Amino acid sequence: QVQLVESGGGLVQAGGSLRLSCAASGRTFSSYAMGWFRQAPGKDREFVTAVNWSGLSTIYANSVKGRFTISRDNAKNTVYLQMSSLKPEDTAVYYCAARISRSGIASTQVDEYDYWGQGTQVTVSS
């Protein structure tokens, strides 16, 4: 069992920055991949970014590439999402997720993640 708790969401103006954190507990954090997803009202949950178990391999959605950065601190059992140059279309509830299987390899697929946090709201005003 893995528990995930996100924090750091809020209201920011377009062009601004936010950093989300996701604290994990319950299993050896350095053994599994982590991802960030988001869901806007009326839309499906979509992939944002993911990182493998070591932090050395990352994947980004085209829509956030160059603006968002994922990182992890295995000593603190925490994954981060640094968001810069935010746009109104980035407004959504952001979820972190843990992919326990597949030897710590990251994935872009929602259904390949085993545990999810409760989500944190990010609102970008124009």
Side-chain angles (χ1 to χ4, degrees):
Q1 199 76 346
V2 173
Q3 294 78 43
L4 302 172
V5 179
E6 300 101 335
S7 60
L11 173 64
V12 63
Q13 288 188 330
S17 300
L18 276 177
R19 188 175 84 153
L20 306 183
S21 300
C22 173
S25 62
R27 293 186 89 163
T28 303
F29 182 69
S30 59
S31 68
Y32 52 86
M34 294 293 297
W36 286 97
F37 293 78
R38 66 188 181 187
Q39 188 165 19
K43 295 188 176 181
D44 292 336
R45 191 167 298 189
E46 66 172 4
F47 170 75
V48 176
T49 180
V51 62
N52 76 331
W53 67 274
S54 69
L56 296 179
S57 178
T58 57
I59 315 170
Y60 292 92
N62 287 336
S63 59
V64 306
K65 203 171 291 184
R67 301 187 298 120
F68 291 12
T69 302
I70 189 171
S71 61
R72 65 188 296 161
D73 185 337
N74 286 345
K76 295 183 178 179
N77 292 356
T78 302
V79 64
Y80 304 97
L81 179 61
Q82 178 66 49
M83 305 184 291
S84 303
S85 301
L86 283 160
K87 305 175 182 180
E89 51 263 44
D90 295 317
T91 295
V93 177
Y94 283 70
Y95 299 90
C96 66
R99 189 184 193 215
I100 303 302
S101 53
R102 309 298 195 280
S103 302
I105 299 171
S107 170
T108 63
Q109 304 302 305
V110 170
D111 59 4
E112 293 187 357
Y113 285 80
D114 305 290
Y115 296 96
W116 293 82
Q118 81 287 351
T120 186
Q121 177 71 47
V122 172
T123 302
V124 184
S125 63
S126 57

